[in-house]
């Protein structure tokens, strides 16, 4: 089978907007059509992922999982076909316990059967959550069982591990996962974005082609709506743009979470920034590292890119305007090297500089430069 996720996966997940709410296959059809019509698929957002609440509690007479008939009357195979016909990939959710967090049927003890069923439905990504597991079970072993079952399923299925804590980086790749959640659920507010990004910065050395630190689905464009939007309350445009910049720099999977059908111009401008996407999808696959702060405990990130360029990100996490000083002394370049800068959020060439530079960064905002040594 092909090695999956040589670059961070991109797509959309149902949880942030729909959560436990009442949603169905018609909603998913609408999301899929919008991903195509609004240019998201062609920008790289190809996975459309169904999260918890899609199945009932219990199994049929053959022991198979049962989709909720009120939500998916056509069945999951038909849903997968609908997505594939539109050039999208089918993501599905399951749990390692006897029940999922939504009290639906878990895969514990049925991993081989469920993996085979997922393959028959045309599933391309499995998000495997923890759920309700009997005490005493070895957690890595539970994930390893599903990883082995997926390899034996006869289909290339990207394995997304969801046991949200930083220590999963010690074993998630070994059980077959190509991406792994680092923390609990993100909410739609600036503080939550910063907390998640800081968790990711501490484990950057484990990420690379075939395995990525997953900072959770993005909240860009929620504006306080939907399940997670209602929990967080919403963000400003600058905060959403800063989240996208951080997720791209930290080589996180880029999974949208807003209602794509209602994408406004501001959200499209952020999420369809091809220059930022190129930084996230850079084949070198190195996650950004934090630079020593030059002043005021500044949050500065550097991400080496395959062609020798370096992407720099300056994030103002405070409530006041900051002048942030940037140096490439810690990135392998000499201080006196002449460097050509491009602002990839504003799509502007800034000319050549040497001995570092600075930017005036608004509160709760980011500035991102792509730097080329002349």
């Amino acid at each position: 089978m092909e090695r999956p996720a040589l670059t961070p996966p991109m797509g959309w997940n149902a949880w942030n907007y729909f959560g436990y709410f009442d949603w169905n296959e018609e909603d998913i059809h609408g999301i899929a059509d919008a991903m195509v019509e609004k240019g998201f698929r062609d920008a790289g957002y190809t996975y459309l992922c169904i999260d918890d609440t899609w199945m009932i509690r219990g199994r049929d007479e053959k022991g198979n999982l049962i989709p909720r008939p009120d939500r998916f009357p056509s069945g999951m195979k038909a849903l997968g076909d609908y997505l594939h016909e539109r050039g999208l990939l089918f993501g599905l959710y399951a749990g390692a316990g006897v029940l999922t967090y939504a009290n639906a049927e878990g895969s514990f003890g049925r991993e081989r059967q469920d993996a085979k069923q997922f393959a028959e439905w045309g599933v391309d990504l499995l998000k495997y959550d923890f759920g309700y597991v009997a005490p005493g079970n070895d957690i890595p072993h539970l994930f390893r069982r599903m990883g082995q079952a997926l390899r034996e399923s006869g289909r290339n299925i990207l394995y997304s591990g969801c046991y949200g804590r930083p220590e999963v980086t010690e074993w998630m790749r070994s059980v077959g996962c190509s991406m792994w959640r680092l923390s609990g659920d993100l909410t739609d507010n600036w503080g939550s974005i910063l907390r998640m990004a800081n968790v990711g910065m501490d484990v950057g050395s484990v990420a690379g082609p075939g395995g990525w630190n997953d900072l959770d689905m993005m909240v860009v464009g929620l504006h306080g709506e939907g399940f997670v939007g209602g929990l967080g309350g919403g963000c400003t445009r600058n905060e959403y743009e800063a989240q996208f910049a951080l997720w791209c720099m930290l080589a996180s999977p880029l999974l949208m979470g807003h209602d794509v059908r209602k994408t406004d111009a501001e959200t499209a401008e952020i999420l369809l920034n091809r220059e930022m996407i190129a930084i996230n999808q850079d084949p070198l696959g190195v996650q950004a590292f934090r630079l020593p702060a030059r002043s005021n405990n500044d949050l500065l990130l550097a991400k080496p890119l395959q062609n020798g360029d370096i992407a720099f990100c300056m994030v103002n996490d405070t409530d006041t305007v900051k002048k942030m000083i940037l140096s490439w002394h810690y990135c392998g370049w000499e201080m006196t090297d002449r460097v050509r800068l491009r602002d990839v959020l504003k799509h502007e060439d800034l000319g050549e500089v040497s001995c570092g530079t600075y930017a005036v960064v608004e509160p709760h905002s980011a500035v991102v430069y792509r730097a080329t040594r002349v």
Side-chain angles (χ1 to χ4, degrees):
M1 292 187 179
E2 298 177 4
R3 185 183 180 192
L6 295 180
T7 59
M10 297 174 61
W12 176 88
N13 181 284
W15 185 255
N16 279 4
Y17 189 77
F18 290 116
Y20 296 105
F21 298 160
D22 188 18
W23 52 282
N24 56 44
E25 65 185 32
E26 302 252 333
D27 292 308
I28 301 305
H29 291 169
I31 294 290
D33 293 342
M35 288 175 68
V36 175
E37 294 165 3
K38 297 179 184 296
F40 289 104
R41 180 200 61 189
D42 292 343
Y45 296 94
T46 52
Y47 287 99
L48 193 158
C49 303
I50 310 303
D51 214 282
D52 206 352
T53 75
W54 67 265
M55 81 280 266
I56 68 170
R57 184 171 179 176
R59 293 174 178 263
D60 67 16
E61 66 279 0
K62 295 181 180 179
N64 291 319
L65 295 168
I66 306 173
R68 286 183 54 166
D70 59 328
R71 293 191 175 183
F72 299 97
S74 303
M76 306 313 284
K77 174 66 166 61
L79 183 61
D81 290 344
Y82 190 94
L83 301 180
H84 293 150
E85 289 166 2
R86 285 151 183 78
L88 297 170
L89 298 170
F90 182 18
L92 200 61
Y93 173 100
V98 294
L99 297 174
T100 72
Y101 285 112
N103 289 314
E105 193 70 11
S107 291
F108 179 74
R110 299 273 193 162
E111 293 87 357
R112 290 176 181 171
Q113 181 172 4
D114 290 353
K116 185 67 174 175
Q117 189 174 21
F118 299 149
E120 291 170 353
W121 285 342
V123 170
D124 302 294
L125 178 152
L126 179 68
K127 177 181 176 180
Y128 203 51
D129 208 347
F130 187 54
Y132 295 98
V133 172
N137 278 281
D138 180 74
I139 305 307
H141 180 62
L142 292 180
F143 281 85
R144 185 170 290 111
R145 280 160 48 166
M146 180 54 82
Q148 184 61 29
L150 292 175
R151 284 189 290 273
E152 295 175 7
S153 71
R155 183 176 179 83
N156 281 317
I157 299 177
L158 190 150
Y159 191 15
S160 171
C162 189
Y163 184 62
R165 54 207 68 196
E167 54 266 32
V168 301
T169 56
E170 299 172 6
W171 53 267
M172 271 289 186
R173 189 188 287 265
S174 72
V175 304
C177 288
S178 295
M179 52 189 282
W180 41 81
R181 282 278 298 278
L182 297 176
S183 186
D185 290 352
L186 188 71
T187 56
D188 189 12
N189 66 71
W190 179 239
S192 184
I193 290 170
L194 289 176
R195 284 192 296 272
M196 198 71 74
N198 276 299
V199 172
M201 291 176 210
D202 290 337
V203 290
S205 62
V206 305
W212 307 98
N213 291 316
D214 180 6
L215 302 183
D216 203 4
M217 295 83 72
M218 294 181 289
V219 295
V220 178
L222 280 177
H223 300 298
E225 296 183 354
F227 180 67
V228 167
L231 295 175
C235 293
T236 67
R237 185 202 191 282
N238 284 3
E239 290 167 346
Y240 283 142
E241 187 171 61
Q243 186 200 19
F244 190 61
L246 283 165
W247 264 232
C248 287
M249 291 290 295
L250 296 172
S252 174
L254 299 179
L255 295 177
M256 301 182 292
H258 71 294
D259 186 344
V260 185
R261 298 168 296 184
K262 300 191 294 184
T263 303
D264 58 27
E266 176 183 288
T267 299
E269 183 180 7
I270 294 170
L271 293 172
L272 292 174
N273 185 330
R274 298 293 186 109
E275 295 187 68
M276 283 303 317
I277 292 172
I279 291 171
N280 176 264
Q281 295 289 298
D282 185 75
L284 186 62
V286 174
Q287 180 177 313
F289 56 92
R290 188 162 185 171
L291 294 172
R294 306 302 295 173
S295 63
N296 301 321
N297 198 32
D298 290 343
L299 175 48
L300 310 170
L301 295 172
K303 187 179 192 301
L305 304 176
Q306 187 179 51
N307 70 341
D309 287 359
I310 300 174
F312 293 100
C313 181
M314 295 168 276
V315 178
N316 182 355
D317 54 1
T318 74
D319 297 331
T320 58
V321 176
K322 291 182 77 172
K323 179 179 180 180
M324 304 181 73
I325 300 171
L326 177 65
S327 167
W328 35 85
H329 174 69
Y330 299 97
C331 301
W333 285 341
E334 302 295 335
M335 277 294 297
T336 54
D337 284 339
R338 294 199 63 78
V339 172
R340 187 167 61 247
L341 296 177
R342 179 168 175 81
D343 187 322
V344 300
L345 296 180
K346 295 182 178 179
H347 308 292
E348 294 178 355
D349 291 322
L350 303 179
E352 297 180 9
V353 295
S354 63
C355 302
T357 188
Y358 72 90
V360 177
V361 187
E362 295 297 316
H364 299 197
S365 301
V367 170
V368 181
Y369 294 153
R370 183 165 182 143
T372 304
R373 191 172 67 85
V374 179

